[in-house]
Amino acid sequence: MNLRHRLKRTLRDLYSLAFVYSGVARLMARRGGARLLILAGHGVDGAVGSKRMPADLKITPERLEEILRALGRYAEWVTVGEGVARLDSGQGCGLVALSMDDGYLDNRTQLLPLLEACDARCTVYLEARPLETRRVSWLHQWFWLERRLGASEAGRRCALELKGNSAVLNEVLAAGADAAARGLKRRLKYDLDAEPRDRAVQAVFEQAGGDEAALCEELYLGVEDARELRDSGRVELGGHTWSHEVLTTLESEAAREEIERGRSTLEELLGVECGESFAYPFGRRWDHSAEHAQAVEEAGYQSAVTTHAGLNRPAGDAFQLRRWMLTETLPVHLLVTELCGGFGLLRRLGLDLVE
Ligand SMILES: [Zn+2]
C-alpha cells in the first residue's frame, strides 16, 4: 500500500470514529434525505462448502451478526428492490440492504438464521447455470485446483491444455510462484477466450480427480433452497447472469444472452416474482459498460448493483448502484458513517475518502 493510500485510510478511520462516537451519526441518522446503503458479500463461513471458498468470499457469522445488529440501530433493513423503490418515491432516510452474490448454499444454512435473529433482509443474486444444470463456473474449479495442486502447478497444467493459447499464462509462470499465486486467476479471467479457458480448466480439474456435481452440491443453492429463501419473506432473489462471465470480455450479443438467459432461467425455475434487481458479475467499472446496463433494463430488471463503494441517493443511476464489500476486518464505524451521510458531507466538499 503506498503512502498516499495509507494516509487516506488513516484519515478515513479518524474521521469516521469521530463522526460515530461524538454522537453526530445518531443525530444525522434520520435527517438529510433519502439514502440507501447496500452491503455486499458472497458466503457466510461454517457451512459444508465453506472450505472451498477463498477467504475474501466469506465472512464469519459472528462478524456478520455484529454488523447487522449495529446497522439495525441506525436504519431500517430492506431488500435492494424495496430500497430502490423507496428511493424513487423519496421516502427512505436511513435504509440499509444486505446483498449476497452467486447463490451459495450457506445463504440458506448460515445466513437465513442470522437474518431471522437480527430481523434483517437480504437480496441474493443467483447465478442461473449452477441452479439449473449443477455446473460450476471455471473459477470454482480453479479455486479447487489451487488448493489441491498449488497455483503454479495448476497453472502449468492449464497452460499445457491451452497449447497455442498459453502465452499469457506462461508469462506469469515464468515470473515465479508469488506472481503465479497473484496473477494467474486474473489472466484466466480477462486475457483468455472463455471457451478454450473453460475447456482447459475443466480438463485439468477432471484429471486431478475433481467431481463437478459434488462440488456444486457443496457450494451452491438448489432450486428448493432458493425457494425456501424466497418464501422466508426475508430474501429477495435477483439475477447475476447465466454463467458469471465478465460481460466486457464477451461480444455484445453474447453478453445480452448471458443477462437474458439468466433471468429467463430464474423465472422458469422459481416463478415470475423473482428478478427485480441484477448484479453485474465481478461488478467493477471495467467488468461492464453502458450497453450492458441497457440490456439489463431491457431484460426487465429495475436496478443493477456494482462493487464500487458509496451511498445511493434518489438522483443516482439505478443501474449503477454502489455497494460496500463486506470483509472480516471492515470496521463497522465506516459503514455507520456512510449510512448516516458522513462521507457524503466530505464528497460535497470534493473529498472522497471511500473510493
Ligand atoms: Zn458473482
Side-chain angles (χ1 to χ4, degrees):
M1 202 187 292
N2 65 33
L3 183 63
R4 191 163 166 265
H5 198 65
R6 268 212 300 266
L7 268 173
K8 192 169 160 180
R9 285 232 159 163
T10 307
L11 189 58
R12 185 174 82 168
D13 250 342
L14 291 173
Y15 173 76
S16 60
L17 282 167
F19 186 83
V20 173
Y21 293 105
S22 65
V24 177
R26 192 157 293 285
L27 274 176
M28 300 264 297
R30 303 285 165 188
R31 294 184 177 84
R35 55 181 180 259
L36 167 67
L37 174 72
I38 309 176
L39 314 176
H42 291 85
V44 182
D45 205 1
V48 183
S50 294
K51 60 183 183 297
R52 306 278 181 216
M53 306 264 278
D56 61 346
L57 290 190
K58 58 193 177 187
I59 185 166
T60 58
E62 296 76 19
R63 178 82 187 116
L64 183 58
E65 180 168 357
E66 187 191 334
I67 291 169
L68 295 180
R69 289 197 188 282
L71 295 179
R73 288 195 279 274
Y74 291 87
E76 181 185 349
W77 284 103
V78 289
T79 64
V80 175
E82 286 167 353
V84 171
R86 296 269 295 274
L87 279 189
D88 282 347
S89 65
Q91 342 152 321
C93 195
L95 298 174
V96 59
L98 174 66
S99 64
M100 290 280 169
D101 288 7
D102 302 349
Y104 295 112
L105 183 56
D106 60 58
N107 290 185
R108 177 180 69 73
T109 60
Q110 318 298 106
L111 174 66
L112 188 55
L114 272 182
L115 297 176
E116 303 277 357
C118 301
D119 198 16
R121 317 282 301 282
C122 183
T123 298
V124 172
Y125 291 107
L126 296 167
E127 190 184 330
R129 188 173 68 166
L131 202 62
E132 183 174 58
T133 68
R134 307 317 273 161
R135 303 271 320 273
V136 301
S137 73
W138 68 271
L139 199 55
H140 277 294
Q141 293 177 331
W142 175 255
F143 291 146
W144 186 92
L145 285 168
E146 273 188 321
R147 281 173 58 89
R148 183 82 161 201
L149 307 171
S152 296
E153 180 58 22
R156 256 189 295 278
R157 293 191 190 186
C158 288
L160 281 175
E161 287 293 327
L162 280 161
K163 301 188 181 85
N165 293 320
S166 62
V168 290
L169 296 192
N170 289 333
E171 196 184 299
V172 181
L173 289 164
D178 285 349
R182 285 195 314 271
L184 282 168
K185 186 182 86 178
R186 188 175 171 76
R187 291 302 176 98
L188 288 161
K189 182 172 157 190
Y190 289 112
D191 298 340
L192 285 164
D193 287 339
E195 205 266 322
R197 177 206 57 209
D198 288 357
R199 205 164 355 98
V201 176
Q202 179 90 35
V204 176
F205 174 76
E206 285 172 9
Q207 286 155 20
D211 179 338
E212 188 173 9
L215 184 58
C216 191
E217 285 301 311
E218 279 188 2
L219 281 173
Y220 283 93
L221 295 162
V223 172
E224 283 308 314
D225 300 304
R227 287 202 181 117
E228 192 180 322
L229 283 178
R230 185 196 57 194
D231 294 344
S232 72
R234 294 193 174 274
V235 175
E236 169 192 40
L237 301 177
H240 198 36
T241 72
W242 162 252
S243 69
H244 207 280
E245 201 54 55
V246 179
L247 292 171
T248 45
T249 63
L250 302 175
E251 299 290 338
S252 296
E253 264 320 294
R256 183 173 285 272
E257 168 72 13
E258 271 287 315
I259 293 162
E260 288 174 355
R261 190 175 177 189
R263 183 178 172 89
S264 59
T265 305
L266 293 190
E267 288 183 351
E268 272 162 39
L269 295 176
L270 300 163
V272 289
E273 65 268 42
C274 70
E276 262 187 50
S277 188
F278 175 86
Y280 300 105
F282 305 103
R284 304 298 290 173
R285 227 166 259 126
W286 48 88
D287 296 322
H288 61 274
S289 69
E291 70 171 333
H292 303 129
Q294 196 182 340
V296 168
E297 191 169 4
E298 284 168 10
Y301 292 107
Q302 320 288 312
S303 64
V305 294
T306 70
T307 50
H308 288 280
L311 186 66
N312 301 291
R313 294 279 192 175
D317 184 345
F319 291 87
Q320 299 294 333
L321 294 173
R322 290 176 168 266
R323 295 190 295 175
W324 277 71
M325 296 305 294
L326 293 178
T327 67
E328 201 59 27
T329 54
L330 180 71
V332 176
H333 55 84
L334 293 185
L335 296 172
V336 173
T337 301
E338 183 74 283
L339 174 63
C340 297
F343 290 129
L345 289 174
L346 295 183
R347 287 188 193 105
R348 263 177 262 155
L349 301 172
L351 181 61
D352 193 341
L353 291 179
V354 173
E355 277 276 285

